[in-house]
Amino acid sequence: MTHASLLDALNPAQRQAVQHFCGPLLVVAGAGSGKTRTLAYRIAYLIRHHRVDPGEILAVTFTNKAAREMKERIERLFAEQEAQEQFGIPLEQLEPAQATRLKSAVYHRWIKPLWIGTFHSLFAQILRLEIEKYQDPKGRKWTRNFSIFDESDAQSLVKEIVTKQLNLDERKFDPRSVRYAISKAKNQGWTPADLERHQPNFRGRILAQVYELYEDQLAANNALDFDNLIWIPVQLFRQNEQVLAYWHQRFRHILVDEYQDTNRTQYELIRLLATNGETRRSEWDWTNRSLFVVGDADQSIYRFRGADFTILLEFQETFGDGLPDDDTRTLIKLEENYRSTATILQAANALIEKNTERIDKVLRPTRHQGSFIICHQAEDEMAEAEFVVNTIRRLHGQNPNSSWGNFAILY
């Protein structure tokens, strides 16, 4: 598979995104527009066409599943290319043992060195190497064999502080809501003092006190919670210029998937790595370096977890050229939809265009018109459930070969 044939598998907008080399680029990817495909092909193109060292690529995904799928796609692309170059036949025509050896070689040469994963998994790896160089403002320190508290551990610790150490009324300071407040503060990049400053009342003072004690206990146990895996690298990079400079030089090409679901702390991590902490745009050097983010404000659903879709809307002013859509060189829209029928897209476009805070785009169908959309207004939840069940039974009766797994209920 040559570089040209690699691009032949893409539509014009995808191809333009994949071929982008240096500098910032925002790819606004509508639902079903092939964003994962575009990310995978871009990584492959960076390595094969631009000869980028795989170890210099950092690709951040939203879930571990998405990371696995991306690695598998890239591995498949390289394996198919190697099969053609070495044996002149498609990968699937190789003998099983031959194909296994080829894929193993591809994995060790190109896939294993890639840094592909979630924010939490990637920066946990960095902390395993660097955390002993960090000391927080209160003098707390951790060692590289730190443990990671899951949500249950964190919740138990907060409850112990609220009920036993501070002897607070659980009805007024519900441990679950207190834990949520601490997590939200970390996702916004707030210290306990910042939390108290933003909530200057009795409750704010108590929350800040619990936050301080919570961090004390984490450090005493040489433990981090999930939020610390993002928040501490930010503080470490701000605190230690040498550590930041090393990782800035290491990751020359940064890719971020689902950019609309990042929070302020995650954004700050990306900003620090991409710019080496330099705040003056005139000092940014994009030579052999890129920041490639993919997302869609219309698909942002994690605000309750601290996600801030305005980070995506601000990309053009923060990193890009800030020019209108028709003139910009730092924004590309993927608008061809490969997933839904024309009828569904027409309805979705009509509904979503009512949003005021968005980057304008129109999803274009590549599939047939499809069936009409049916709207049903039920009297109550029981009538709604009855309608859903009866509809599924009717459709299953019309097509006995279908399985119950062919039906989905979004709730």
Side-chain angles (χ1 to χ4, degrees):
M1 184 184 292
T2 62
H3 303 148
S5 62
L6 188 72
L7 298 174
D8 286 344
L10 306 171
N11 67 39
Q14 291 171 339
R15 191 178 305 127
Q16 186 182 357
V18 166
Q19 287 182 293
H20 173 84
F21 184 33
C22 297
L25 184 70
L26 167 62
V27 179
V28 178
S33 61
K35 69 179 180 63
T36 307
R37 181 185 187 85
T38 302
L39 282 162
Y41 273 70
R42 171 170 173 75
I43 292 171
Y45 196 76
L46 283 172
I47 296 169
R48 296 295 282 197
H49 180 71
H50 294 293
R51 303 300 180 193
V52 172
D53 184 332
E56 295 180 347
I57 296 174
L58 176 74
V60 185
T61 62
F62 200 66
T63 64
N64 290 318
K65 179 174 181 287
R68 286 194 302 272
E69 288 177 353
M70 192 178 297
K71 288 178 183 176
E72 288 168 1
R73 284 191 184 218
I74 299 166
E75 185 175 357
R76 179 79 185 182
L77 283 173
F78 281 134
E80 288 175 347
Q81 191 167 24
E82 287 296 297
Q84 288 289 353
E85 289 180 0
Q86 292 185 31
F87 305 102
I89 58 175
L91 178 65
E92 58 269 20
Q93 292 182 16
L94 293 180
E95 294 292 331
Q98 207 173 29
T100 299
R101 285 195 299 272
L102 185 145
K103 286 191 282 189
S104 176
V106 163
Y107 173 79
H108 285 92
R109 181 177 178 186
W110 289 301
I111 309 305
K112 190 177 181 181
L114 289 168
W115 283 64
I116 299 179
T118 64
F119 274 102
H120 296 91
S121 66
L122 292 171
F123 287 94
Q125 291 181 60
I126 291 176
L127 286 177
R128 293 288 181 199
L129 300 170
E130 305 284 14
I131 198 167
E132 291 177 8
K133 298 172 185 172
Y134 170 71
Q135 179 173 303
D136 85 353
K138 296 293 183 179
R140 305 181 188 100
K141 291 183 71 68
W142 288 260
T143 64
R144 63 178 59 186
N145 63 338
F146 61 83
S147 58
I148 300 173
F149 275 19
D150 62 19
E151 192 54 40
S152 175
D153 297 327
Q155 188 68 51
S156 297
L157 180 54
V158 169
K159 185 172 183 177
E160 182 179 330
I161 293 169
V162 168
T163 61
K164 296 181 180 178
Q165 287 187 245
L166 298 179
N167 199 27
L168 297 169
D169 186 345
E170 277 193 73
R171 291 170 296 181
K172 293 182 179 178
F173 292 93
D174 171 48
R176 187 177 296 276
S177 65
V178 173
R179 162 68 187 135
Y180 176 77
I182 293 171
S183 178
K184 184 178 179 182
K186 290 183 182 181
N187 286 332
Q188 291 175 304
W190 292 354
T191 63
D194 293 329
L195 174 57
E196 187 172 354
R197 188 164 54 252
H198 282 87
Q199 200 168 335
N201 52 32
F202 175 70
R203 181 174 180 80
R205 289 198 301 275
I206 295 298
L207 289 175
Q209 187 179 6
V210 177
Y211 186 176
E212 284 281 15
L213 292 169
Y214 175 73
E215 292 299 294
D216 286 343
Q217 288 297 312
L218 285 176
N221 286 286
N222 194 34
L224 304 176
D225 64 14
F226 284 119
D227 300 314
N228 282 132
L229 297 177
I230 311 299
W231 178 218
I232 286 182
V234 167
Q235 296 178 90
L236 172 61
F237 287 161
R238 289 173 178 169
Q239 184 184 98
N240 192 314
E241 292 181 359
Q242 289 181 318
V243 172
L244 174 58
Y246 171 81
W247 292 102
H248 169 71
Q249 287 300 320
R250 173 68 183 270
F251 299 131
R252 305 195 67 85
H253 296 277
I254 301 172
L255 301 91
V256 186
D257 191 11
E258 306 290 7
Y259 194 63
Q260 77 280 353
D261 287 323
T262 53
N263 60 44
R264 285 291 162 181
T265 312
Q266 292 166 337
Y267 156 77
E268 183 64 4
L269 262 185
I270 296 302
R271 186 193 71 80
L272 288 166
L273 281 175
T275 67
N276 201 24
E278 177 59 65
T279 55
R280 293 168 297 178
R281 288 182 60 126
S282 60
E283 298 299 313
W284 293 352
D285 182 7
W286 292 107
T287 306
N288 294 323
R289 178 178 296 282
S290 67
L291 174 60
F292 184 95
V293 305
V294 182
D296 180 10
D298 295 335
Q299 297 182 64
S300 180
I301 59 172
Y302 286 106
R303 188 131 189 201
F304 70 96
R305 284 204 319 220
D308 185 352
F309 71 90
T310 62
I311 292 170
L312 182 145
L313 299 179
E314 294 164 1
F315 183 91
Q316 280 287 72
E317 296 301 323
T318 306
F319 296 106
D321 54 28
L323 296 174
D325 292 359
D326 291 339
D327 303 319
T328 181
R329 300 183 66 181
T330 56
L331 182 148
I332 293 171
K333 299 177 185 179
L334 304 186
E335 297 178 299
E336 288 188 52
N337 178 283
Y338 297 92
R339 182 183 300 158
S340 303
T341 62
T343 301
I344 289 174
L345 289 184
Q346 186 179 0
N349 285 329
L351 183 65
I352 237 163
E353 69 182 8
K354 308 296 182 187
N355 290 355
T356 54
E357 293 183 286
R358 64 189 297 263
I359 296 173
D360 187 47
K361 69 178 188 313
V362 177
L363 293 173
R364 298 189 300 272
T366 58
R367 298 182 61 191
H368 55 83
Q369 192 66 31
S371 306
F372 287 118
I373 295 171
I374 298 170
C375 294
H376 176 79
Q377 184 174 346
E379 292 291 330
D380 54 31
E381 69 273 18
M382 293 302 294
E384 180 183 34
E386 186 176 3
F387 170 78
V388 170
V389 169
N390 288 339
T391 300
I392 291 174
R393 281 179 171 158
R394 175 174 55 78
L395 292 171
H396 186 264
Q398 293 171 358
N399 184 9
N401 293 325
S402 65
S403 70
W404 300 116
N406 292 139
F407 301 93
I409 302 169
L410 303 183
Y411 176 79

